Amino acid sequence: LLVRAGEEHTCGITTDNRAYCWGNNQFGRLGDGTGIYRRAPVAVAGGLRFRHIKAGFEHTCGVTLDNIGYCWGFNNVGQLGDGKTIRRTSPRQVVGGLKWLRIIAGDNHTCGLTTGNRAYCWGYNGSGRLGTGNYTNQYRPTAVAGGFSFRQVVAGSDFSCGVTTTDRAYCWGSNAYGQLGDNSRTTRIAPVLVAGGLSFSGVSAGYDRTCGVTTGKRAYCWGYGYAGDGTTSTRIKPVAVFGGLLFSEVSTRYSSCGVTSGNVAYCWGGNFNGELGDGTRPPRLTPVAVAGPT
């Protein structure tokens, strides 16, 4: 039903809404009640039925069928949202009584979108990545400033972004490489509008880069290099990904990938470990098609 890869672990939801995780289990990020590394999927403890899950850096979060949020794993700065700073090896309910559409585990912070289209973030607030208007760490969900109605919210490494119900993209947090896309490198502790007047259907926040797909299915990226525009230049506002391809979605972390409207996968960026999947290792400045299976 759904599979999401984190930094060193992966989680998925089966067609009967059961959650499984595998990989590095340090700090209990797999949620099976242990710290044992797993080379094959292991059931998340508790027998909960999930409809959404997101593996982050050292923690994981999910939303059950009844819109209750749970997180597990590392919790040194409150990224699990249970009001504590104690690591959890099995799911713990996010406090506050909110109903969730999605919860997105980032690196050391977490953001979520409620059924009322409000964005909340919690955890480490360095660089203002929680968007709360200050730099204070939060151990429980705290409303993102501005009162915007969001239909998507994503947590990157040290920044966050969202798309409003009016298709505008906003970002907040660290902006050293222009990853907020507001045509500056100024850190923002509250949401700032992404420059360019574009209407977005969705965005993806990575390590130091952001990419998005417009409502017209064009891909744009901004931030640290490899924006897919044929250069390695850092971009402080959105630039179009080269080639005029029509994308249904894009995802970025250290490199970027997208799926076209015709269900063809393309990737671009650093390729030192073959992560672009085109059968080579040289970096790609523009999208290249992912090769067929060997």
Side-chain angles (χ1 to χ4, degrees):
L1 183 65
L2 179 70
V3 176
R4 291 291 182 265
E7 190 74 9
E8 294 182 351
H9 73 296
T10 305
C11 294
I13 299 174
T14 62
T15 53
D16 63 349
N17 298 102
R18 301 295 186 183
Y20 289 78
C21 295
W22 55 97
N24 185 339
N25 200 16
Q26 188 179 17
F27 311 120
R29 72 191 79 177
L30 303 187
D32 67 338
T34 79
I36 301 170
Y37 288 40
R38 305 291 187 175
R39 296 183 180 179
V42 61
V44 172
L48 298 163
R49 290 183 179 268
F50 290 91
R51 61 172 180 76
H52 186 268
I53 198 166
K54 179 65 173 69
F57 183 58
E58 294 172 328
H59 72 295
T60 307
C61 293
V63 176
T64 62
L65 294 178
D66 54 355
N67 300 325
I68 304 300
Y70 288 84
C71 294
W72 54 93
F74 205 28
N75 196 26
N76 63 320
V77 285
Q79 57 264 56
L80 302 189
D82 65 347
K84 307 291 184 180
T85 55
I86 303 169
R87 70 181 65 174
R88 308 293 188 178
T89 61
S90 58
R92 295 284 295 193
Q93 186 172 334
V94 176
V95 299
L98 296 164
K99 295 289 189 177
W100 301 98
L101 288 174
R102 288 174 293 280
I103 295 179
I104 307 298
D107 280 14
N108 296 308
H109 77 295
T110 305
C111 291
L113 182 67
T114 69
T115 54
N117 296 108
R118 297 298 181 182
Y120 288 75
C121 294
W122 55 95
Y124 182 56
N125 202 16
S127 302
R129 70 193 70 186
L130 303 186
T132 56
N134 56 52
Y135 295 100
T136 304
N137 294 349
Q138 302 291 338
Y139 302 153
R140 58 180 56 229
T142 304
V144 171
F148 297 103
S149 292
F150 286 98
R151 58 177 172 77
Q152 183 199 24
V153 63
V154 292
S157 58
D158 52 8
F159 69 104
S160 309
C161 296
V163 176
T164 68
T165 53
T166 57
D167 302 327
R168 297 301 182 186
Y170 286 80
C171 294
W172 53 94
S174 176
N175 199 19
Y177 300 103
Q179 58 263 52
L180 304 189
D182 69 335
N183 202 31
S184 82
R185 293 180 186 237
T186 304
T187 293
R188 308 291 186 176
I189 60 175
V192 62
L193 181 66
V194 172
L198 297 164
S199 295
F200 286 94
S201 60
V203 294
S204 174
Y207 183 70
D208 46 23
R209 180 188 307 106
T210 307
C211 291
V213 175
T214 67
T215 53
K217 300 188 181 299
R218 300 295 185 180
Y220 286 77
C221 294
W222 54 96
Y224 183 72
Y226 296 113
D229 65 338
T231 77
T232 58
S233 300
T234 291
R235 302 296 188 180
I236 61 175
K237 61 181 180 180
V239 292
V241 173
F242 180 83
L245 296 165
L246 298 180
F247 286 93
S248 57
E249 64 177 331
V250 294
S251 179
T252 189
R253 178 64 176 169
Y254 301 105
S255 57
S256 306
C257 293
V259 177
T260 68
S261 300
N263 297 319
V264 179
Y266 286 81
C267 294
W268 58 95
N271 194 24
F272 308 105
N273 297 300
E275 57 264 45
L276 302 189
D278 68 338
T280 74
R281 281 192 166 183
R284 300 296 186 174
L285 306 184
T286 59
V288 291
V290 173
T294 57

